[in-house]
Amino acid sequence: MVRARATVRDLRRQNRSVLLTALFLDGPLSRLQLSASTGLSAATASTITGELLDEGLLTEAGSVESDGGRPRVLLRVNPVFGHVVGVDVGETGIKVELFDLAMTRLSTVDLPVAAVRPGPVSELVAAGVAQVLSASGVPASSVLGVGVGVPGTVERGTSAVVHAQTIGWDAVPLERMIREAGVEPPLFVENGAKTQGQAEMWFGAGRGARHAVIVLVGSGVGVAVVTGGVMHRGATSNAGEWGHTTIVYGGRRCRCGVRGCLEAYAGAEAMLGRYREAARDGSSAPDQVSALEELLTSRSAAARRVVEESVGYLGAGIANLVNLFNPERVVLGGWAGLALGARQLDRIVAATAEHALRHPYAQVRIELGRTGPDAVAVGAATLPVAALLETGADPRSARRAG
């Protein structure tokens, strides 16, 4: 196979990407620190940072003393160069958040969802984007992109298509529908477990790890697998459907139609369903979050049994991930995962140890996510940032050129 030779333009783009990534994730840094951390020559670092300063992508952020010379100027990604929006499309609600490029949250809105149907979801996403921009006075022209985290898998082509069997979505052209609903900035659609995974890898409990598994437990169950610092997607981006691996042969019917899936035992919807069956009593809680809190704090024998079983199933499921992927870190997140883990992490770890092989288990650390219950939205907001860092160019420019 003949490989295409890299051009000067390719090299320049790669160098811009390397410098921007270092400054975004580790800045502020001086030019000398940038040269040392990226391996680029001092002359190259100086030339490219000069270009980026002229374009407004970078800004000065004070100075630090040097050894015997003039103070060194610190540089950082300019927080007001543009803004990004993150959207979490959940099964009971949609969260929309606006950030500057320092990932400072400027505005947020939560919109309840009566039924997760593509049409209403698209309209709510568009309404939420309009609301966060209006609340903060940010014009749509300032938005580098809108990232959307969704249940199910995302098929990429000219426009993102979503397959989410558990909620009845089959080849839904969600990106086109959101665009038609009135969202103008570039759109980036991704599986919600993967956006949470990116948030934890960039800012949370996964930071610094090269091999990690980030678990999402919400209404359902999912996972993001990072190997060698790269998100594992599989042949058609379906990798990570951990919730639909079989944990009990011939067991409970899962929402996907198959029996015995992990999601039929460890997801919040399944936990609450099993509790209703065991207690033969409906919860008075107004929503799933409140109902799970009620379950976790209940002293009834039925509640304790459901929680204990759920901890065991979740630990066994995590042990499967440890045996399969040999991660150095497992991060438990998702609104239900955080609620359960805050009370039961030691028992989840013990259940994992009971079911995992000793050697890979000895290499892993299991901890709670640090980016909070809105990690899917935070991670979704990083999608346009990732495009900026990867190309070294403004995503809005590509859209205008197209």
Side-chain angles (χ1 to χ4, degrees):
M1 183 178 71
V2 178
R3 294 185 179 180
R5 294 179 62 182
T7 64
V8 172
R9 184 177 178 181
D10 293 334
L11 185 59
R12 177 174 170 273
R13 183 170 57 235
Q14 180 182 335
N15 290 342
R16 284 170 63 98
S17 172
V18 167
L19 285 174
L20 275 173
T21 301
L23 285 167
F24 182 82
L25 295 177
D26 301 315
L29 297 169
S30 69
R31 289 174 177 81
L32 185 64
Q33 289 171 319
L34 271 173
S35 176
S37 66
T38 62
L40 298 176
S41 70
T44 298
S46 182
T47 298
I48 294 176
T49 54
E51 293 175 0
L52 295 171
L53 281 163
D54 290 342
E55 294 169 20
L57 251 169
L58 300 185
T59 188
E60 294 183 355
S63 60
V64 290
E65 294 297 326
S66 62
D67 298 330
R70 292 185 301 173
R72 295 194 183 105
V73 174
L74 295 174
L75 302 174
R76 64 180 298 193
V77 173
N78 186 356
V80 297
F81 175 78
H83 297 80
V84 290
V85 176
V87 181
D88 175 6
V89 176
E91 296 184 36
T92 60
I94 294 173
K95 180 183 288 290
V96 183
E97 298 189 323
L98 174 70
F99 302 84
D100 64 17
L101 283 189
M103 295 307 292
T104 301
R105 187 178 291 102
L106 303 178
S107 181
T108 183
V109 62
D110 289 284
L111 303 170
V113 172
V116 197
R117 296 194 301 272
V121 164
S122 303
E123 292 167 4
L124 283 171
V125 169
V129 172
Q131 287 180 42
V132 294
L133 293 178
S134 176
S136 57
V138 172
S141 60
S142 178
V143 179
L144 301 182
V146 176
V148 184
V150 297
T153 60
V154 179
E155 180 183 354
R156 288 176 177 78
T158 55
S159 182
V161 173
V162 180
H163 303 269
Q165 188 170 320
T166 57
I167 58 174
W169 288 18
D170 183 17
V172 171
L174 189 66
E175 181 177 346
R176 176 176 60 78
M177 295 176 71
I178 294 173
R179 179 76 59 212
E180 291 173 351
V183 176
E184 297 175 8
L187 281 167
F188 301 80
V189 183
E190 179 60 280
N191 168 265
K194 290 183 174 68
T195 70
Q196 175 193 268
Q198 184 150 300
E200 288 292 344
M201 293 301 292
W202 280 21
F203 312 119
R207 188 171 168 87
R210 297 283 295 165
H211 303 274
V213 169
I214 297 90
V215 170
L216 185 152
V217 182
S219 298
V221 176
V223 74
V225 177
V226 176
T227 302
V230 178
M231 192 81 68
H232 179 62
R233 299 183 181 280
T236 57
S237 200
N238 279 268
E241 290 294 337
W242 172 57
H244 302 289
T245 56
T246 302
I247 198 78
V248 179
Y249 177 74
R252 294 175 62 88
R253 179 79 66 182
C254 179
R255 299 185 299 168
C256 72
V258 176
R259 289 190 177 276
C261 293
L262 177 63
E263 186 167 297
Y265 294 88
E269 184 173 307
M271 289 173 63
L272 294 171
R274 287 165 45 232
Y275 179 45
R276 283 192 297 271
E277 292 172 9
R280 301 186 184 280
D281 185 18
S283 170
S284 60
D287 55 59
Q288 212 174 69
V289 175
S290 303
L292 184 65
E293 183 70 18
E294 189 178 281
L295 167 61
L296 295 177
T297 55
S298 173
R299 296 185 178 182
S300 73
R304 290 199 303 270
R305 184 168 64 255
V306 167
V307 172
E308 182 178 347
E309 290 173 352
S310 300
V311 164
Y313 287 124
L314 185 57
I318 293 174
N320 288 339
L321 295 172
V322 170
N323 291 344
L324 281 169
F325 298 108
N326 187 206
E328 59 193 288
R329 209 167 300 170
V330 171
V331 179
L332 175 59
W335 65 267
L338 292 174
L340 183 62
R343 297 171 174 84
Q344 303 284 344
L345 184 61
D346 288 348
R347 292 173 64 192
I348 293 169
V349 171
T352 302
E354 184 178 348
H355 292 89
L357 292 170
R358 287 191 301 273
H359 185 70
Y361 176 76
Q363 319 303 316
V364 75
R365 187 169 81 233
I366 303 172
E367 57 185 277
L368 287 181
R370 298 177 193 167
T371 51
D374 61 347
V376 172
V378 174
T382 68
L383 298 177
V385 177
L388 170 69
L389 301 182
E390 183 178 352
T391 63
D394 188 338
R396 294 169 295 190
S397 302
R399 177 164 174 79
R400 285 193 291 266

